[in-house]
């Protein structure tokens, strides 16, 4: 099984789609193996998952952040626009793996208040637009600590 | 209670869609319009899910799922167009 | 002997000369090959001719098109015999003459072939015993004469003359056809015999005036009667044998033949008298006058022919039996002297190289023998005693004196006849004097002229001898033939008449004397007359005709150009105008009277509907801001799928949603090469017109939709709902309809998709388009062709989307989904890879050509369909079964799934074939070179930029 | 239907709807494109998320079995929505769209 | 509800018609697309409107008419194929006639 | 042999698929496949004609579902005749195309086969919506074929053709929606039964459905004012394609005949649209004649002649008597084959005339002037309706069956105008030729294909009686829709 994470993901998806039955469990297993193999050539350099529990933790953290930040952003949106302090923030990247960088960028976009706008050509910097940023460095620190480090541990270490 | 909640939720989602449509028409820039369209796709998912609840039917799930899965391709295509003109190169 | 063989012989004969020419036969052999079959026909005619002379009518008939009443029926009676002899006899003489007339480098084979075709057609005309068959041959004479007149096609006059003749005689032929069809309606048969016997019924019919006019139109055009005479002189551009044959002896006689043929059927009424006599008289005089002023030898003869045809017509118009006999007599006489005159003219032309009488003078000294022949023939034409022309002309004068139809104005006829006689003598005198005497030749192209070859003169000699023989011994020569011909013409008994040279001193003789003396006098005053004529404005029929034709063609071009103005907008407007007309005339208040209960409208539906309407209108208004329009049309598509969701059609919603995505990509792909914006609207009128059409068509369709929704109906759909599960093995009735009940529609539908993909591929092949260097705002394109985030996310999305496709596919038979939607999801996932990673990158991972994918999909669907034959069922009969697997449980296997797999493959193949190739377009351009477009993002380090 | 369940379902869908609306209000109200970009990508995800939680609960209750199918909608949306936002941001930067004057930092050249 | 649907169909068809009467290929493509939306809806409603009656056996008592749905599905696919062809044809026109005018080069009349 | 009915659809369909599978552009293989498949259609069509001629109406229930629920193919005399005509036209056209024209673009052979599939399907189907589907098959293939080759004129003509037909397809769908929405059925026979029982607003809607169908079919048939697209499209299409397209307008006429004579044959809507069709047909006839006269290119002239034949035919159809219908069919066979031949001829003429091509201006002599001139002469005689060829017989038959003065006037007058136009054209092309053209010899197979098509006109004349009788037999059956309805609705009652 060359892509266990993906296979697992696919199998889970299949089971979610169809509901549980032994037949579908089997068929889902077949698909979960066959589809990644069949599309293998489409991803030459996918990272290996190193730490599954950390991944679960990471997902939960992100969801929690989405929930809380959403409230904050809702208030910002509904409040007087002048109160916003928008800004572009450049986040220096420690991650090197492309997949991990993408996950980070997506996470940043998903959590309210920030959108990853671009990745530099050399893959060393992530440009983020923030809705309301007071202290840029604090924000960078927070992102690095809350998202980038776990990602690095999950995929790279 | 659920009836009322559904009615209100329907109303809010449709209102949201109308606001999106306003942005789409108003622009003023192409990215704004694309953003509005993207948001409309997402709000439509909500609407369909609500409809599923209100009609007590799971037959509309796939429609919502499909929008979630491939709806963004339109937006990506528009964005790519703005960036490169050619979306498949 | 069957008469049809007789008619067939010349047609068969037409094949011989070209064949002989191919084998390089000598000129004489060529002529012999041409003459063989007509000669045979003439010989074969002897036996039936005897029976005819004995008073019999020989008939023969073969079936051809009995449902039309068109049979190969022929009759040989006196009239037909007389004409058949003219056609074959003179025809043979013409072949002999042509042997010497045509120069060595001419395509004589083709010439003879045309001539024989004409001969056959003419023979057919005179012997047809079926009215429709007569029309067939009639038109064939026009067609073959077209070829003959245009034989010297390098000559502009020949081409124009041929076309003019064809046009005029073609017009007449069509009129004749209509007339004949009407006769058939009245008579109830197209048999000539029956028609001739039904003369009274025809004359009594209300259709008679119409029939007469139509038939006369045919006759007058063919026989060059005024005012349709103008084509004949221009037909003189034909080689002289043709003129001698067609334009004196035969084809122009077809018209007067028909007067004779239809005489018992149509003659005898005042209308007949008025039309025929008037046309005849006008033609007689006009032709004679015009002949006098011709400087062209053949022109003179042509106009004189017109004049003589007028004379014959006039005779038929007089409605007396004797006049008809006189007409028949003059037909024979005119054929003999005029054919010989044409031949003589041809000889002169041949020997001198010109036909201009102002240059041809005093030929008596160079070719006395020919001169004698021509002079005798001319004298016959002038009506000099002891020659055949005199006899019939005497009869003519006598008959004009008999008619009292015009009452107090009856003297007009003999006066006109005498005047015609005067002019006839004058132009005959000119033919003799101006050519053979009148001083010395002027600057002839060939000088000095000689007598022609021996055998070239033979036909002329024979004809001239006939003129004399008939003129001197009418009773011994022509009387028998004339009697049977006259009898056949009148369709009854012959009146009493005497063919003799001397009838004593009477009024006709006086008229003849006046004609002779007057004619000579007129000719003596010719210089004065020519000067008078020269001052008249010149009327060139050819020029007028040509200009008229050009004007008509120009008008036609302008009219059709105005209708078909090359503007799609106009065509679309026409189409929609027709639709509007239908709607405006058919929409009525009754439509809104439906009694089906309405569904309540709720707020969500109202607002969603409003959204859709606004988006549609905005698309229409903002169509010049193209990207905006694409986005607003996406909204329309989105809300339409919501409508499907709302009204219980999840399959449609899924389909609409996925199609929408592909369509948007397609439009954006196109946008790259199309102008982003275009200039503003034009005329207010057009916008209003378009608005009007839009409102009517849109409103009309809306009203119909409402009317339909509010009226009750019974549908066959109950059957589908009941049988989907037991008969089709699926619970999703829509899907079962698609793959089973109406699987054939789907088979067609995926074929459409496959063809579209092929067609698109063909359109895109070698298409050169210039990639814009910058976007609409003038900004150069971004460097990053393959943004990292997009690339990285799109890839794992592929197996995920495939998984979802499998899911959608498998459930399709029982729940919303199916092969088509699954195919589209897969396509979108793959297209996303194209967008993210580029064509080059994909090229290494996907088949280079999607044609086989489409083909396999279609084949799979098709073979599934054919497989049912093995089980003795019709195409696309489905079957299904439930298999029980351990662990898995009940598992349905349906052949429809295989069919649906075909659908899936076709959709994937077709979509990718379309869009991937569209995407490749820009690779042909050099834009990519500078910015790394089309490169493999993995190899260029994810960054497209330099 | 159980009142508690009904209340929960109602609450979820209402919260979801409110967030969806807030996001869309942001789309209308905020003054530059980069700001507007935040509204939908956040609020809409939660908006849909809330609705789907309601739906999950509803159907699970109706069928007396855990119905997690609709989680997939959120999952797919979480995968795809950031990509749209990212691409649109890039497009906006490329087009050099006007940004609020008090915005700190600046976009990158594309 | 029927009135709403009729209005929607009327608008789609009307706007489609208006756009197909334009002089450039692109609006014509849009017009054809709108027209097919309207027409597809028209065929769809020929089975009459019904709420919550998906034609799946066992899912609803009074299933809506499945036949027009199947027809519309076919029509959507065919419409997609045709639109795609027209789009590429427009490109071909641009390539060969150097203009996106439906009649080729003439840039005079526009609208 | 019960499956023979579907063979005219499946043979080209499978051939087309196999051709699509062949990606290595082995042109000879492709040609062979296409030619064999097209050749196979002829015996199949003859066999079908044999079946139909007996008077039995064959019904093929696809998927083994009986009418009106499943789709049926129906083989009556009319459909058999049309399928046979298509096969006879297609083979020479394809032979002509296989001499090089097929290389002028991609997928020619596959498109050609699928075009045949669509045409045959349209002729055979007994289902209204399936008719729409096959219309789309034949249209999309025809779009591809019309654009086969290169050049701005072709693209412009193609755009016009495609856009108009797309609108036509939309209208067809509206008509189908109305048809289903009023009667609840799609099977033509069943529709005929149900529509005759309608009343009230449903009746009005059904009438609208019928009238909209006339508009759609009128567009395909190229009836005034919907024919304007045709001359440019056909004249600019590649010759073999234009030749094949000679049958396309007939598909429209067939559809009118079928729907008029069957679907709307009973009840209050019998004779629906007869008068407008009659009038429009006459206008078409007249204006097309004007177009012939005004044409500046030979191809365009032939296209207008085709439109003229449409006017002639639809008028005969609108007269709606069995005799007129039979005569119309004879004329239809004649005009399809002759116009097809003339399109090929126009191409042969234009070869070697260089830049001038088929423009009606004096120029270099066409290669093989004698042969081509003779062919042109024969074709012109046939097409304007002069004796002794088939056009004359067709016109006489039509005039006998349709004794309307205005029709006669237009038929004869139009014939005369066409004669003037054609004689000008022939005179210019073959008589005014100046010097020799570029190409030295005439391509044998191309010439043979042209001759084959034009040779049908004397054949149709010589065997005019059997052909006419066959046409009248077709008409007799057509005039009794009850036979069709009974056959379709009665077939396989026990099947389920
Ligand atoms: Na002289
Ligand atoms: Na591209």
């Amino acid at each position: 099984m060359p892509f266990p994470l993906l296979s697992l993901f696919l199998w889970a998806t299949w089971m979610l789609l169809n509901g549980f039955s032994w037949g579908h469990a089997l068929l889902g297993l077949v698909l979960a193996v066959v589809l990644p193999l069949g599309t293998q050539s489409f991803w030459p350099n996918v990272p290996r998952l190193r730490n599954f529990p950390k991944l679960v933790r990471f997902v939960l953290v992100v969801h929690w952040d989405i929930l809380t930040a959403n409230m904050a952003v809702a208030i910002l949106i509904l409040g007087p626009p002048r109160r916003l302090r928008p800004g572009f923030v450049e986040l220096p990247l420690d991650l090197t793996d492309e997949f991990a960088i993408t996950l980070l960028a997506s996470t940043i976009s998903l959590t309210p208040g920030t959108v990853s706008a671009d990745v530099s050509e050399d893959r060393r910097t992530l440009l983020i637009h923030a809705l309301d940023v007071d202290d840029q460095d604090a924000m960078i620190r927070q992102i690095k600590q809350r998202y980038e480090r776990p990602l690095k541990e999950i995929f790279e270490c | 209670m659920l009836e009322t909640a559904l009615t209100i939720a329907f109303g809010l989602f449709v209102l949201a869609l109308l606001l999106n449509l306003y942005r789409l028409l108003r622009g003023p820039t192409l990215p704004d319009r694309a953003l509005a369209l993207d948001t409309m796709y997402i709000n439509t998912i909500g609407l369909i899910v609500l409809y599923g609840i209100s009609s007590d039917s799971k037959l509309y799930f796939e429609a919502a799922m499909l929008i979630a899965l491939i709806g963004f391709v339109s937006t990506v295509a528009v964005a790519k167009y703005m960036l490169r003109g050619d979306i498949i190169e | 002997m069957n008469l049809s063989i007789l008619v067939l012989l010349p047609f068969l004969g037409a094949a011989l000369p070209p064949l002989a020419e191919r084998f390089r036969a000598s000129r004489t052999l060529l002529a012999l090959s041409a003459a063989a079959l007509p000669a045979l026909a003439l010989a074969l005619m002897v036996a039936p001719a005897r029976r005819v002379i004995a008073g019999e009518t020989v008939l023969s008939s073969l079936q051809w098109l009995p449902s039309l009443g068109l049979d190969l029926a022929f009759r040989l009676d006196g009239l037909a015999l007389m004409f058949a002899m003219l056609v074959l006899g003179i025809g043979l003489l013409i072949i002999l003459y042509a042997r010497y007339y045509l120069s060595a480098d001419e395509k004589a084979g083709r010439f003879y072939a045309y001539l024989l075709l004409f001969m056959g057609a003419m023979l057919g005309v005179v012997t047809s015993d079926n009215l429709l068959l007569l029309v067939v041959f009639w038109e064939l004479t026009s067609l073959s004469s077209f070829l003959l007149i245009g034989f010297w096609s390098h000559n502009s006059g020949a081409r124009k003359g041929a076309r003019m003749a064809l046009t005029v005689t073609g017009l007449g032929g069509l009129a004749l056809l209509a007339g004949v069809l009407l006769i058939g309606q009245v008579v109830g048969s197209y048999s000539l015999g029956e028609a001739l016997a039904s003369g009274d019924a025809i004359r009594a019919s209300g259709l008679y005036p119409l029939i007469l006019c139509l038939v006369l139109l045919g006759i007058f055009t063919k026989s060059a009667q005024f005012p349709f005479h103008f084509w004949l002189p221009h037909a003189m551009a034909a080689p002289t044998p043709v003129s001698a044959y067609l334009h004196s002896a035969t084809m122009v006689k077809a018209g007067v033949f028909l007067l004779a043929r239809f005489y018992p059927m149509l003659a005898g009424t005042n209308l007949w008298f008025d039309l025929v006599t008037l046309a005849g008289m006008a033609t007689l005089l006009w032709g004679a006058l015009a002949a006098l002023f011709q400087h062209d030898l053949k022109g003179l003869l042509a106009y004189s022919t017109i004049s003589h045809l007028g004379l014959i017509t006039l005779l038929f118009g007089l409605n007396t039996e004797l006049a008809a006999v006189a007409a028949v007599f003059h037909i024979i006489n005119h054929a003999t002297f005029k054919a010989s005159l044409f031949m003589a003219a041809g000889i002169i032309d041949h020997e001198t190289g010109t036909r201009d009488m102002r240059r041809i003078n005093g030929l008596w000294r160079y070719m006395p023998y020919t001169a004698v022949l021509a002079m005798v023939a001319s004298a016959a034409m002038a009506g000099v005693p002891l020659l055949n022309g005199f006899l019939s002309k005497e009869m003519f004068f006598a008959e004009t004196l008999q008619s009292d139809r015009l009452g107090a104005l009856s003297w007009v006829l003999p006066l006109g006849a005498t005047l015609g006689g005067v002019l006839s003598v004058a132009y005959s005198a000119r033919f003799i004097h101006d050519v053979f005497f009148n001083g010395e030749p002027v600057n002839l192209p060939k000088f000095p002229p000689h007598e022609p070859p021996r055998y070239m003169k033979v036909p002329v000699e024979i004809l001239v001898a006939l003129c004399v023989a008939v003129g001197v011994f009418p009773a011994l020569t022509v009387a028998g033939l004339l009697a049977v011909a006259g009898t056949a013409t009148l369709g009854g008994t012959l009146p009493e008449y005497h063919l003799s040279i001397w009838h004593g001193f009477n009024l006709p003789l006086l008229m003849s004397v006046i004609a002779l003396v007057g004619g000579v006098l007129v000719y003596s005053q010719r210089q004065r007359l020519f000067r008078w004529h020269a001052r008249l404005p010149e009327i060139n029929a050819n020029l007028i005709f040509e200009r008229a034709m050009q004007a008509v063609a120009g008008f036609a071009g302008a009219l059709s150009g105005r209708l078909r103005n090359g503007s799609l907008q106009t065509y679309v407007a026409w189409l929609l105008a027709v639709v509007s007309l239908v709607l405006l005339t058919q929409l009525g208040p009754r439509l809104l009277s439906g009694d089906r209960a309405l569904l309540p409208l709720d707020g969500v539906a109202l607002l969603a509907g409003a959204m859709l309407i606004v988006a549609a209108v905005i698309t229409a208004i903002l169509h010049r801001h193209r990207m905006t329009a694409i986005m607003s049309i996406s909204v329309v598509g989105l809300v339409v799928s919501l409508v499907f969701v709302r009204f219980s059609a999840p399959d449609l919603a899924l389909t609409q949603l996925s199609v929408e995505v592909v369509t948007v990509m397609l439009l954006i792909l196109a946008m790259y090469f199309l102008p982003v914006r275009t200039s503003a609207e034009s005329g207010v009128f057009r916008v209003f017109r378009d608005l009007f059409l839009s409102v009517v068509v849109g409103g009309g369709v809306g009203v119909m939709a409402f009317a339909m929704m509010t009226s009750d109906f019974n549908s066959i759909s109950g059957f589908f709902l009941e049988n989907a599960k037991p008969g089709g093995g699926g619970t999703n009735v829509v899907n079962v309809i698609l793959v089973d009940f109406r699987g054939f529609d789907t088979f067609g539908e995926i074929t459409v998709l496959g063809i579209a993909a092929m067609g698109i591929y063909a359109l895109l092949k070698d298409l050169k388009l210039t990639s814009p260097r910058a976007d609409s705002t003038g900004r150069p394109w971004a460097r990053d062709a393959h943004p990292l985030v997009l690339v990285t996310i799109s890839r794992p999305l592929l197996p995920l989307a495939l998984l979802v496709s499998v899911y959608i596919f498998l459930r399709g038979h029982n729940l919303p989904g199916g092969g088509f939607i699954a195919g589209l999801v897969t396509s979108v996932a793959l297209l996303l890879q194209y967008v993210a990673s580029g064509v080059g990158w994909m090229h290494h991972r996907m088949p280079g050509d999607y044609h086989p994918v489409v083909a396999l999909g279609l084949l799979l669907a098709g073979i599934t369909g054919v497989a049912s034959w093995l089980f003795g069922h019709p195409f696309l009969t489905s079957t299904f079964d439930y298999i029980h697997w351990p662990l898995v449980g009940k598992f349905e296997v349906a052949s429809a799934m295989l069919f649906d797999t075909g659908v899936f493959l076709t959709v994937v193949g077709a979509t990718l074939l379309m869009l991937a190739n569209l995407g490749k377009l820009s690779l042909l351009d050099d834009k990519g070179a500078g910015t790394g477009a089309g490169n493999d993002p993995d190899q260029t380090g994810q960054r497209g930029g330099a | 239907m159980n009142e508690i369940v009904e209340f929960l379902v109602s609450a979820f869908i209402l919260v979801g709807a409110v967030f969806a609306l807030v996001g869309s209000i942001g789309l209308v109200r905020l003054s530059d494109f980069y700001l507007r970009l935040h509204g939908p990508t956040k609020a809409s995800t939660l908006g849909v998320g809330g609705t789907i939680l309601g739906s999950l609960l509803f159907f699970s209750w109706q069928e007396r079995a855990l119905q997690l199918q609709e989680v997939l909608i959120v999952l797919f949306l979480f995968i795809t929505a950031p990509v749209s936002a990212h691409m649109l941001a890039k497009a906006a930067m490329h087009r050099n769209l006007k940004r609020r004057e008090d915005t700190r930092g600046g976009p990158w050249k594309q | 509800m029927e009135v709403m649907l009729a209005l929607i169909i009327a608008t789609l068809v009307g706007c489609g018609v208006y756009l197909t009467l334009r002089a450039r290929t692109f609006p014509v493509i849009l017009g054809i697309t709108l027209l097919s939306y309207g027409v597809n809806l028209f065929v769809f409603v020929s089975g009459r409107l019904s709420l919550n009656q998906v034609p799946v056996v066992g899912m609803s008592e009074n299933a809506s008419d499945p036949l027009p749905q199947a027809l519309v599905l076919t029509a959507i696919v065919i419409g997609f194929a045709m639109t795609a062809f027209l789009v590429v044809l427009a490109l071909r026109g641009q390539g060969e006639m150097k203009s996106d005018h439906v009649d080729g080069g003439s840039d005079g009349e526009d609208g | 042999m019960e499956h023979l009915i579907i063979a005219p659809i499946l043979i080209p369909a499978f051939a087309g698929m196999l051709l699509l599978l062949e990606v290595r552009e082995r042109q000879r293989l492709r040609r062979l496949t296409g030619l064999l498949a097209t050749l196979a259609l002829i015996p199949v069509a003859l066999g079908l004609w044999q079946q139909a001629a007996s008077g039995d109406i064959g019904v093929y229930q696809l998927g083994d579902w009986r009418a009106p629920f499943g789709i049926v193919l129906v083989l009556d005399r009319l459909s058999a005749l049309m399928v046979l005509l298509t096969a006879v036209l297609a083979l020479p056209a394809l032979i002509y195309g296989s001499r090089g024209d097929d290389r002028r673009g991609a997928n020619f052979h596959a498109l050609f086969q699928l075009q045949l599939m669509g045409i045959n399907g349209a002729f055979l189907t007994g289902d209204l919506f399936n008719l729409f589907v096959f219309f789309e098959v034949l249209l999309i293939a025809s779009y591809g074929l019309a654009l086969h080759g290169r050049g701005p004129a072709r693209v412009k003509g193609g755009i016009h053709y495609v856009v108009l037909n797309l609108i036509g397809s939309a209208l067809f769908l509206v008509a189908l929606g109305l048809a289903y929405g009023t009667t609840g059925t799609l099977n033509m026979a069943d529709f005929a039964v149900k529509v005759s029982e309608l009343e009230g607003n449903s009746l009005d809607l059904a009438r609208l459905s019928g009238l909209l169908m006339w508009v759609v079919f009128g567009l395909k048939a190229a009836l005034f004012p919907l024919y304007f697209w045709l001359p440019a499209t056909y004249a600019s299409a590649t010759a073999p394609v234009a030749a094949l397209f000679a049958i396309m307008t007939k598909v429209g006429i067939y559809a009118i005949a079928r729907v008029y004579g069957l679907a709307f044959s009973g009840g209050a809507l019998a004779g629906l649209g007869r008068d407008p069709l009659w009038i429009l047909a006459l206008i078409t006839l007249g204006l097309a004649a004007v177009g012939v006269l005004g044409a500046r290119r030979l191809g365009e002239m032939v296209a207008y002649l085709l439109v003229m034949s449409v006017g002639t035919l639809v008028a005969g159809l609108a007269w709606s008597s069995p005799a007129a219908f039979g005569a119309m069919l004879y004329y239809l066979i004649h005009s399809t084959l002759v116009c097809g031949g003339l399109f090929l001829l126009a191409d042969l003429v234009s070869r070697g005339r260089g830049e001038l091509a088929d423009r009606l201006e004096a120029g270099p002599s066409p290669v093989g002037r004698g042969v081509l001139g003779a062919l042109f002469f024969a074709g012109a005689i046939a097409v304007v309706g002069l004796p002794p060829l088939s056009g004359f017989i067709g016109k006489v038959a039509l005039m006998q069956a349709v004794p309307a003065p205005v029709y006669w006037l237009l038929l004869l007058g139009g014939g005369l105008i066409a004669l003037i136009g054609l004689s000008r054209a022939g005179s210019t092309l073959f008589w005014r030729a100046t010097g020799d053209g570029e190409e030295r010899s005439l391509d044998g197979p191309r010439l043979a294909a042209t001759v084959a098509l034009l040779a049908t006109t004397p054949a149709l004349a010589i065997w005019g009686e059997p052909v006419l009788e066959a046409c009248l037999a077709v008409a007799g059956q057509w005039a009794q829709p009850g036979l069709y309805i009974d056959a379709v609705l009665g077939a396989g009652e026990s099947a389920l």
Side-chain angles (χ1 to χ4, degrees), chain D residues 30-108:
Chain D
L30 296 171
S31 56
D32 77 23
F33 174 80
Y34 302 101
L35 292 176
R36 292 196 275 267
L37 190 56
H38 290 272
T41 51
K42 311 299 182 288
S44 295
T45 44
L46 189 64
V48 172
T51 320
I52 278 174
L53 275 180
S55 174
L56 275 182
L57 196 56
F58 176 81
F59 283 110
S60 299
W61 179 260
Q62 290 291 80
E63 309 194 4
R64 298 295 186 278
L66 193 57
Q67 296 287 312
L68 289 176
Q69 205 181 32
E70 277 152 309
V71 169
L72 286 174
I73 296 175
V74 183
L75 181 65
F76 293 168
L77 210 51
F78 278 15
I79 296 175
T80 62
V83 183
S84 317
H86 181 74
M87 291 298 289
L88 287 175
K90 279 178 75 80
M93 292 191 296
H94 172 61
R95 296 215 147 195
N96 223 349
L97 292 193
K98 264 185 267 170
R99 55 186 192 278
R100 239 171 80 158
E101 279 149 23
D102 59 350
T103 306
R104 276 176 283 175
W108 289 348

Side-chain angles (χ1 to χ4, degrees), chain C residues 356-362 430 433-438:
Chain C
D356 189 339
M357 283 186 280
R358 285 164 298 192
R359 294 160 75 182
I360 306 169
N361 295 317
R430 182 176 179 203
H433 179 259
D434 205 351
V435 170
F436 298 106
F437 307 101
N438 198 26

Side-chain angles (χ1 to χ4, degrees), chain E residues 20 25 28 32 35 39-40 42-43 46 48 65 67-68 71 74-75 78 82 85-86 89 92-93 96-97 102-103, chain F residues 129 132-133 136 140 143-144 147 150-152 155-156 158-160 162-163 166-167 170 173-174 177-178 180-181 186:
Chain E
T20 53
T25 48
V28 171
I32 296 288
L35 195 58
V39 167
N40 287 343
F42 186 90
V43 175
S46 75
R48 311 301 188 261
D65 194 338
L67 186 53
L71 303 186
T74 304
I78 290 177
M82 296 291 170
F85 191 88
L86 185 59
L89 182 53
R92 183 98 220 166
E96 297 227 15
M97 307 190 291
V102 288
D103 304 327
Chain F
F129 192 80
F132 165 79
V133 171
E136 298 303 305
I140 186 79
Y143 302 158
L147 286 151
R150 301 269 164 270
V155 173
K156 181 182 164 184
I159 289 177
H160 291 192
V162 172
V163 170
L166 287 180
I167 299 173
L173 277 176
V174 172
L178 286 170
Y180 179 76
L186 292 167

Side-chain angles (χ1 to χ4, degrees), chain B residues 86-89, chain C residues 669 672-673 839 915-923:
Chain B
D86 194 6
I87 62 170
I88 296 180
E89 52 190 348
Chain C
L669 273 170
Y672 180 49
F673 297 104
V839 174
L915 279 93
N917 278 298
L918 197 49
K920 276 181 198 159
L921 267 186
S922 55
L923 296 186

